[in-house]
Structure formats: C-alpha cells, structure tokens
C-alpha cells in the first residue's frame, strides 16, 4: 500500500505541484486548503504523514493546526513548510512536535527527504507500539506478593521525576515492563517510548543505531537515518542490556548523557534532544566497574534511581495470578476459553522458573495451544515442564509456612518434617507417575493438597 500524505496549503498551485511530485514517486495524496479542513480530513481518514503550511489566512495558522493535529493524531508525523517563517516559528513548531521545518521555495529533493524521514519515524513508532503491546508492555504489573507491592510503590515514586533509572534483575523478570510502566506514569506518557537492545547491536553500528547517520556517512548508508535518541526526543529511551556496551560506545553514550547533544555520523551539525534515559541490565554493574569492564562515571550517571526486580522463585505468591493473567491473554488471542485446573496450577506454582516471567508466559501459551480441551490439566503440565534436575529447573515444593519469619530449624516437630518431605515427594510423583492416580489423590488430600478436579476460571 502506498504511503498517504495529506497536503495542507491555501495555495492550490502548491498542492498541485507537490501532489504531482509525490504521486510520481509512488505516494498517494490527500488535500486540504486550510487548517480546519485538515482536521476534518484527519478525523475521516488518518494519513501516514502531513505536509503543513505555516501561513493559511484567514483560518487557523499552521502552528494552531499542528497543535490540534498532535492532540487528535499524536502518532502522525508532520512536516511544516513556509516562505515567511522566522527562527521563533521553527522553534515553536519543533516544540509542538513537528518532524521538520522546510523553507519555501520547496525543492523536490528537500520535500522527498523530509517526508521519507517522517514516514520512517512513523513506521518505527508504530512497530515499537506493536511490539510493546505484543510483549505485554501495556499490561499492568501482575502479582500479589509484598515484593510486587514494593515495586509498584517505587515506580509510582520515581515515574513523575525526570531522573534516570537503572533497572536490574535476572533475564525474564520484566525489566522492560517496569520501564514501560515508568514511562506511562510520567509526564512523558503519550510521547515516544523507544527501546534499544544494546547487546543486539553490532559494535561497528552502535553509533549509527544510537545517534543516526547522514547519507554517504559510510558504505551502505544510502539515505539519512535517525538514531534512537532522536526518535525518542520528547519521550523516554530504554537502554536495554546496557552492561553489554563496548568501551567506545560507553564513552559516546556518556558524552550524550552529560550534554544532551547528539551528532549524526557524517554530519557537522549537532542538535539537542530532550530524552529521559532508563537503563536495564541483568549484569552486576558494580562488579563490572571493579573489573574495569564498565565505566564508573557512566554507572554513576545511570544509577541515579536503582530498581531491582527479584526473581520469580523468590515470590511464589505471584505465580498463580501470573498464570491466570497469561491464560487470559492466550484465551483472547485464541478466541476460546482457557482454564487451568487446580492440580495443574499447583505444579506450575511448585516449579522454580529459571527463566522467570518470560518462561512462565511461554509455558502457559504452549499449554493453551496444545491442551486437548479448554482446561489445562496436571498431566499436560507434567509433559510440558522441563524435566531438568539442576538447581534452577527442577520441580520443587512450595516453601514451608513460616511462623516468625525464620526458616525450618532442627526443633521442628518430626511429624511436620515428614509431612513436608512427603509433600515434596508427592509433587514429584504428580509429575512422574501416570498410573494408580486414585491412591496418589488420596495421599494428596491427607496432606492438604487439592487434587485436580475443580477447574479454576481465568
């Protein structure tokens, strides 16, 4: 499908000439003679980008129209144009969210370069929103444990600030989800939230990916590209896996954090960006600093407000609500009910989840797809869960109840210790055995473990 450009100009000949240029380049054009008509057109049919004139008497001028456009269609990039603009107009247009400001008389190359850049921005932001929705980044933080309550309270405190946040935790604990929650609860909500995976960028392309490049800056640079800092201007940038950045990239990142000034590769015109930077890592950056693998000054810059996400095995109370939440999401995608019976839920709660929430979501999705009915059973969980016997992946019994916060000691009653040991054996048996289940269930009832009869709605 051809990109659609809305041309907004009170001069019919300008609309005709620019429209002919764009159509010859494969674009589809829509027209509006003034700001009011442009707003009405946007309400009917949202374009991919807008080319907007500054002076359009007697109705609302381009700046007033731009302000309304950004309220009604905030994700549509707008390129301003004028033959009578001054620096103040250009600055205000940029603050209102204009992608670029072109001076008349227009040149074909200038129009095409600006619109292609605007369309690239629109595609990038749309893909970013799609991926975040697909990964569940718009979901609420799920969990009922004290650790999750503390995490939500911490997010509520740091989100309204402009300070940098360093989010740490094992892989799969939901660091991007926490960063997204910080962005949504901040004054920058509604502005771009851009993520860059530092570990996934080839070392020789880090500067281009972060800060952008001009056409011809290096072999293969056939057109200008915006970097992640520029794409996140006005919003939030998450530097995921920041501990994997090389020494040269760390130095360049530090310079941008200190000055707020970005310069594209191949350009001699630095520009300022207004970006709140969040960072995430599964590494111990303090140790990396001691081992001279990470710059101490960069660590200090990033670690203004530290947030640590504990692993899922340390908050078992969160497993049942997470299972229900993931099952509900699967039901929406599959278009049918997805239920988890009590026995299945108990086995999932007993597993140690070395891959944390990411692994749990994947396992629940696999169970939902492969289940022989609408209800996921304990037998199906047994077949799907990994059978490794290492410390991270085995089935483990739920932690024993604590009366005073202390672990089980040598003075625990023998009967209680035997019951706890039997609970562990039965949990393992539920995974391994496929015969004589009636006897197994009787044993489970005696120990207070509910057999998988009643389904739990999700």
């Amino acid at each position: 499908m051809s990109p659609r450009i809305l041309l907004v100009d009170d001069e019919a000949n300008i609309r005709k000439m620019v429209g002919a240029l764009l159509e010859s380049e494969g674009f589809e054009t829509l027209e509006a003679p003034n700001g009011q008509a442009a707003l009405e057109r946007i309400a009917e049919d949202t374009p991919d980008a807008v080319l907007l004139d500054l002076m359009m008497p007697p109705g609302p001028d381009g700046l007033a129209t731009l302000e309304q456009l950004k309220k009604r269609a905030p994700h549509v990039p707008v390129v301003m144009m004028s033959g009578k603009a001054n620096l103040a107009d250009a600055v205000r247009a940029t603050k209102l969210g204009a992608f670029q400001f072109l001076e008349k008389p227009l040149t074909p190359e200038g129009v095409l370069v600006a619109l292609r850049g605007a369309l690239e921005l629109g595609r990038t932001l749309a893909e970013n929103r799609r991926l975040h929705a697909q990964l569940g980044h718009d979901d609420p933080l799920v969990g009922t444990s004290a650790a999750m309550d503390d995490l939500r309270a911490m997010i509520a405190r740091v989100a309204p600030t402009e300070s940098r946040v360093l989010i740490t935790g094992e892989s799969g604990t939901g660091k991007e989800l926490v960063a997204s929650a910080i962005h949504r609860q901040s004054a920058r909500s509604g502005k771009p939230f851009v993520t860059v995976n530092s570990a996934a960028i080839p070392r020789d392309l880090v500067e281009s990916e972060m800060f952008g490049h001009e056409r011809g800056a290096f072999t293969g640079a056939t057109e200008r590209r915006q970097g992640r800092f520029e794409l996140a201007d006005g919003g939030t940038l998450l530097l995921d896996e920041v501990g994997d950045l090389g020494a040269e990239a760390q130095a360049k990142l530090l310079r941008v954090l200190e000055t707020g000034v970005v310069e594209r590769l191949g350009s001699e015109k630095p520009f300022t960006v207004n970006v709140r930077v969040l960072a995430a890592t599964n590494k111990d950056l303090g140790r990396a600093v001691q081992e001279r693998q990470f710059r101490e000054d960069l660590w200090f810059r990033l670690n203004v407000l530290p947030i640590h996400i504990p692993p899922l095995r340390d908050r078992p109370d969160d497993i049942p609500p997470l299972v229900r939440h993931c099952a509900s999401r699967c039901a929406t995608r599959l278009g049918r009910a997805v239920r988890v019976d009590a026995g299945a839920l108990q086995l999932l709660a007993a597993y140690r989840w070395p891959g944390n929430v990411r692994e749990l979501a994947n396992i629940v999705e696999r169970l939902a797809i492969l289940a022989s009915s609408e209800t996921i059973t304990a037998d199906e969980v047994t077949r799907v869960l990994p059978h490794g016997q290492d410390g991270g992946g085995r089935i483990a019994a739920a932690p024993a109840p604590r009366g005073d916060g202390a672990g089980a000691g040598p003075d625990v009653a023998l009967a209680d210790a035997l019951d706890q040991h039997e609970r562990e054996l039965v949990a393992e048996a539920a995974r391994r055995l496929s015969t004589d289940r009636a006897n197994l269930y009787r044993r489970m009832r005696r120990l207070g473990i509910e057999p998988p009869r009643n389904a739990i709605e999700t």
Side-chain angles (χ1 to χ4, degrees):
M1 181 182 250
S2 301
R4 292 175 300 167
I5 310 298
L6 174 60
L7 305 176
V8 188
D9 198 304
D10 60 325
E11 296 184 39
N13 63 327
I14 294 291
R15 300 198 304 272
K16 181 178 180 180
M17 288 188 296
V18 175
L21 168 67
L22 296 180
E23 288 171 3
S24 69
E25 293 290 328
F27 296 95
E28 180 183 341
T29 59
L30 311 170
E31 293 186 15
N34 54 57
Q36 186 58 41
L39 296 173
E40 293 172 358
R41 196 66 187 262
I42 285 265
E44 297 172 359
D45 189 11
T46 304
D48 297 299
V50 177
L51 189 61
L52 175 62
D53 191 27
L54 177 65
M55 302 294 184
M56 295 181 295
D61 65 8
L63 292 176
T65 303
L66 172 63
E67 189 171 10
Q68 290 301 313
L69 281 174
K70 283 302 177 181
K71 290 180 180 178
R72 302 185 188 191
H75 304 303
V76 177
V78 179
V79 175
M80 298 288 295
M81 56 183 178
S82 177
K84 301 178 181 178
N86 54 40
L87 180 59
D89 292 327
V91 170
R92 188 179 171 205
T94 302
K95 289 183 176 180
L96 289 173
F99 172 74
Q100 196 166 334
F101 202 105
L102 300 178
E103 291 186 20
K104 291 181 178 179
L106 302 174
T107 65
E109 182 179 2
V111 171
L112 293 174
V113 168
L115 286 177
R116 284 169 179 157
L119 290 169
E120 182 183 1
L121 171 63
R123 286 191 296 268
T124 300
L125 295 179
E127 178 69 5
N128 190 269
R129 291 192 301 273
R130 184 189 70 80
L131 289 174
H132 279 281
Q134 182 178 346
L135 291 170
H137 293 177
D138 292 334
D139 288 345
L141 294 170
V142 177
T144 58
S145 66
M148 284 301 296
D149 289 342
D150 291 342
L151 181 60
R152 280 187 282 263
M154 186 65 167
I155 290 171
R157 293 187 66 180
V158 306
T161 74
E162 286 291 301
S163 299
R164 299 187 186 105
V165 180
L166 179 61
I167 307 165
T168 58
E170 293 181 5
S171 179
T173 50
K175 295 185 288 294
E176 287 191 46
L177 185 62
V178 169
S180 179
I182 292 172
H183 173 73
R184 292 198 310 272
Q185 295 180 36
S186 74
R188 295 173 182 263
S189 180
K191 300 296 179 64
F193 176 63
V194 178
T195 298
V196 55
N197 188 332
S198 307
I201 307 174
R203 298 212 168 203
D204 56 343
L205 293 179
V206 169
E207 189 171 357
S208 170
E209 190 71 23
M210 292 280 195
F211 314 126
H213 63 252
E214 296 289 345
R215 179 179 180 180
F218 52 85
T219 302
T222 56
E223 58 184 23
R224 191 186 73 177
R225 178 187 177 120
Q226 290 182 300
R228 299 303 177 94
F229 271 88
E230 190 172 356
L231 291 173
D233 193 20
T236 305
L237 174 65
L238 171 62
L239 301 173
D240 198 13
E241 304 300 347
V242 70
D244 291 313
L245 284 175
E248 184 177 357
Q250 291 179 33
K252 292 175 179 177
L253 174 60
L254 177 64
R255 184 176 67 248
V256 174
L257 294 180
E258 289 176 339
T259 64
V261 175
V262 173
E263 186 174 327
R264 299 191 197 101
L265 276 174
S267 172
E268 297 179 356
K269 296 180 180 179
F271 55 93
T272 302
V273 291
N274 176 18
V275 176
R276 183 183 187 181
V277 174
L278 311 177
T281 182
N282 58 14
K283 297 181 181 296
D284 184 345
L285 289 189
R287 177 177 295 179
V289 168
Q290 293 176 358
E291 297 174 352
R292 300 186 180 278
Q293 296 177 355
F294 199 83
R295 293 181 64 113
E296 185 177 40
D297 46 4
L298 178 57
W299 181 47
F300 289 148
R301 289 282 182 182
L302 296 173
N303 195 32
V304 178
L305 291 170
I307 292 181
H308 180 71
I309 309 173
L312 192 53
R313 62 182 173 274
D314 290 348
R315 41 191 179 97
D317 290 348
D318 291 336
I319 295 175
L322 279 168
V323 170
R324 296 186 183 99
H325 176 72
C326 293
S328 177
R329 289 181 58 202
C330 289
T332 301
R333 289 198 297 267
L334 296 174
R336 57 176 172 81
V338 177
R339 301 179 177 88
V340 185
D341 75 20
L345 187 63
Q346 190 161 31
L347 287 178
L348 292 169
Y351 182 60
R352 288 182 60 81
W353 300 110
N356 293 294
V357 180
R358 184 183 295 124
E359 183 186 16
L360 184 146
N362 290 342
I363 290 291
V364 172
E365 182 175 3
R366 189 183 311 167
L367 287 166
I369 293 171
L370 299 180
S372 56
S373 68
E374 291 181 350
T375 301
I376 298 169
T377 66
D379 285 340
E380 289 166 330
V381 172
T382 299
R383 288 193 293 269
V384 167
L385 279 183
H387 294 172
Q389 292 302 308
D390 60 353
R394 68 175 181 270
I395 296 291
R402 297 183 177 187
D404 59 356
D411 57 345
V412 174
L414 178 60
D416 292 342
L418 287 174
D419 278 352
Q420 177 61 23
H421 182 61
E422 286 176 344
R423 284 187 179 90
E424 295 177 6
L425 293 177
V426 169
E428 181 69 7
R431 185 178 66 82
R432 290 174 173 267
L433 297 181
S434 58
T435 60
D436 196 16
R437 299 189 68 82
N439 182 53
L440 176 63
Y441 287 171
R442 284 195 296 273
R443 191 65 174 168
M444 291 173 71
R445 288 193 188 94
R446 192 182 77 78
L447 296 171
I449 303 174
E450 181 65 22
R453 288 188 176 181
N454 299 325
I456 297 177
E457 295 287 341
T458 59

